[in-house]
Amino acid sequence: MLSKKVEKALNEQINAEFFSAYLYLSMSAYLNDISLIGFANWMRAQYEEEKFHAMKMYDYVLERGGKVKLKAIETPKHKWKDIIDVFEDVLNHEQHVTKLINDLVSLSIDEKDHATVHFLQWFVDEQVEEESTVSDMLAQLKLVGGNGSGLFMLDREAAQRQFSEPAQ
Ligand code: FEO
């Protein structure tokens, strides 16, 4: 059984994961609009990944006999200055999500909910990977100055990304 505090916090995190999905979908539309089709694909895969995060948490709340309470999803930004601006936002956002996950782990420890602490470990590891992938991408974009043939090459590479659900 989940404590009310943990149940509430997990519901808030489900909302945060859906917001992440929404934000990345909005970025995907913007990138499509500025003809960076490969990066638009990359961001759409990121959207799929965030939906997976939200649903993983949703399923966990139900499995523990908790109540899922979905709330309104905040409106994401629609416009950025350029591709570097987009990836700076992604990195800031992922750092923010890492903090939310860490707070959730701390709360679960305080509540002596070891099952949730264990469940959240997957998200802790995932955040390390996400922050690292995004900072690498941002560094490469800065290296090519966010334009020209370097950007064209990175866009072609980004076109290869596909989301597949990790094995449970
Ligand atoms: Fe669900 Fe990108 O963290």
Side-chain angles (χ1 to χ4, degrees):
M1 194 63 191
L2 294 171
S3 74
K4 284 291 156 206
K5 272 189 192 169
V6 171
E7 184 188 85
K8 184 167 182 280
L10 286 169
N11 270 295
E12 279 163 10
Q13 192 59 34
I14 290 171
N15 187 271
E17 299 293 343
F18 274 125
F19 173 72
S20 302
Y22 223 35
L23 175 65
Y24 297 148
L25 189 61
S26 185
M27 286 173 172
S28 179
Y30 165 78
L31 292 164
N32 200 291
D33 205 39
I34 60 167
S35 303
L36 288 173
I37 306 303
F39 277 108
N41 166 72
W42 192 97
M43 212 52 90
R44 194 167 169 141
Q46 191 70 13
Y47 151 78
E48 295 287 349
E49 195 164 304
E50 297 301 344
K51 267 199 313 181
F52 174 77
H53 292 173
M55 291 311 295
K56 188 176 174 75
M57 216 161 267
Y58 169 105
D59 286 338
Y60 177 74
V61 172
L62 293 181
E63 194 185 350
R64 294 289 312 279
K67 284 199 173 23
V68 168
K69 291 179 186 156
L70 299 178
K71 292 198 181 132
I73 303 168
E74 195 188 319
T75 305
K77 265 171 79 170
H78 300 113
K79 246 183 114 49
W80 287 265
K81 222 164 61 203
D82 52 28
I83 179 85
I84 291 181
D85 190 31
V86 169
F87 272 85
E88 273 171 348
D89 260 12
V90 177
L91 185 57
N92 285 335
H93 185 68
E94 286 304 329
Q95 286 167 344
H96 167 67
V97 172
T98 298
K99 188 184 172 309
L100 294 179
I101 297 289
N102 286 340
D103 289 348
L104 204 41
V105 174
S106 300
L107 174 72
S108 309
I109 292 170
D110 290 347
E111 292 288 298
K112 298 187 170 51
D113 184 345
H114 297 284
T116 301
V117 174
H118 178 72
F119 167 74
L120 289 171
Q121 198 55 52
W122 184 89
F123 286 85
V124 171
D125 296 342
E126 181 73 2
Q127 284 311 119
V128 172
E129 196 186 306
E130 293 223 342
E131 280 193 36
S132 160
T133 307
V134 175
S135 22
D136 286 352
M137 188 66 93
L138 182 57
Q140 286 179 26
L141 284 165
K142 284 183 174 170
L143 212 58
V144 301
N147 54 42
S149 53
L151 180 60
F152 180 73
M153 294 291 289
L154 288 177
D155 190 63
R156 281 187 36 178
E157 219 175 278
Q160 305 304 315
R161 182 179 177 192
Q162 279 181 343
F163 172 71
S164 54
E165 282 195 9
Q168 295 293 306

